[in-house]
Amino acid sequence: MGYRSSVDIHTEWDIVAARQLGRNEAKKVGFGTVDQARITTAISELARNIYLYAGAGKIEIERLNDNDLFGIAIIASDEGPGIPDVRKVMEDGYSTSGGLGAGMPGVKRLMDDFRVDTEKGKGTKITAVKWLR
C-alpha cells in the first residue's frame, strides 16, 4: 500500500478534479502519457457513473508498490442503489443513460485489474488497477 488521496464526487466539476488528481498521481508513479490518458479516462468514467447513478461518492487514488512493482489503484465508491445486474452492465453497448454503453467495459479494458463489489440498496465499490510496465 502507498500514498492515497481522494476527491468527493457531488458535481460535474468534481469529475474534472478527480481526473486531474489521477493524472498527477500517474505522473508521480512514472506512467507515460498514453497510460496517463488511460488512467484519467477510467477515472472519468467511474466518477461520471457515481454522479449519474448514485448522486455522490468518492474517487480514491492510491499509489502501489508491491516488491518493486509500481502502479496505481482507482477506488470508486458510493452509497447509491447498487448495480442490479453487473453482468449486464459489463456488456458492450448496454446503457441506462442513453450513452454508448462503453463505460464499465471500457474501464476494464483500459486497466490491468478490475473488480466490482455491489449490494442492492447499499452501494458500489469498484477497484481498478494499472501496473507500470
Side-chain angles (χ1 to χ4, degrees):
M1 295 290 174
Y3 175 80
R4 185 183 281 199
S5 52
S6 66
V7 174
D8 290 330
I9 305 297
H10 297 283
T11 70
E12 291 191 57
W13 287 110
D14 297 330
I15 298 168
V16 175
R19 284 176 54 91
Q20 190 59 49
L21 174 65
R23 183 176 297 279
N24 290 341
E25 291 299 318
K27 279 183 193 175
K28 289 175 185 172
V29 171
F31 285 101
T33 55
V34 172
D35 278 335
Q36 288 174 34
R38 288 182 177 120
I39 290 164
T40 56
T41 300
I43 291 168
S44 183
E45 290 294 336
L46 294 171
R48 184 159 302 285
N49 284 351
I50 290 171
Y51 176 72
L52 288 175
Y53 301 111
K58 181 187 287 189
I59 295 286
E60 296 174 273
I61 310 294
E62 182 175 0
R63 291 185 224 157
L64 304 174
N65 180 352
D66 185 15
N67 295 327
D68 293 330
L69 186 62
F70 297 92
I72 197 163
I74 304 163
I75 302 104
S77 58
D78 65 64
E79 295 178 2
I83 301 170
D85 188 346
V86 174
R87 194 170 295 141
K88 190 84 165 159
V89 168
M90 293 306 297
E91 291 176 10
D92 280 316
Y94 177 78
S95 174
T96 58
S97 67
L100 296 175
M104 295 270 282
V107 171
K108 184 176 182 181
R109 282 191 295 272
L110 290 169
M111 304 299 281
D112 296 320
D113 300 313
F114 182 84
R115 186 176 72 241
V116 179
D117 298 303
T118 188
E119 189 174 341
K120 187 176 179 179
K122 300 220 176 184
T124 301
K125 179 180 175 184
I126 297 171
T127 305
V129 175
K130 188 76 171 165
W131 293 105
L132 186 61
R133 307 235 183 281

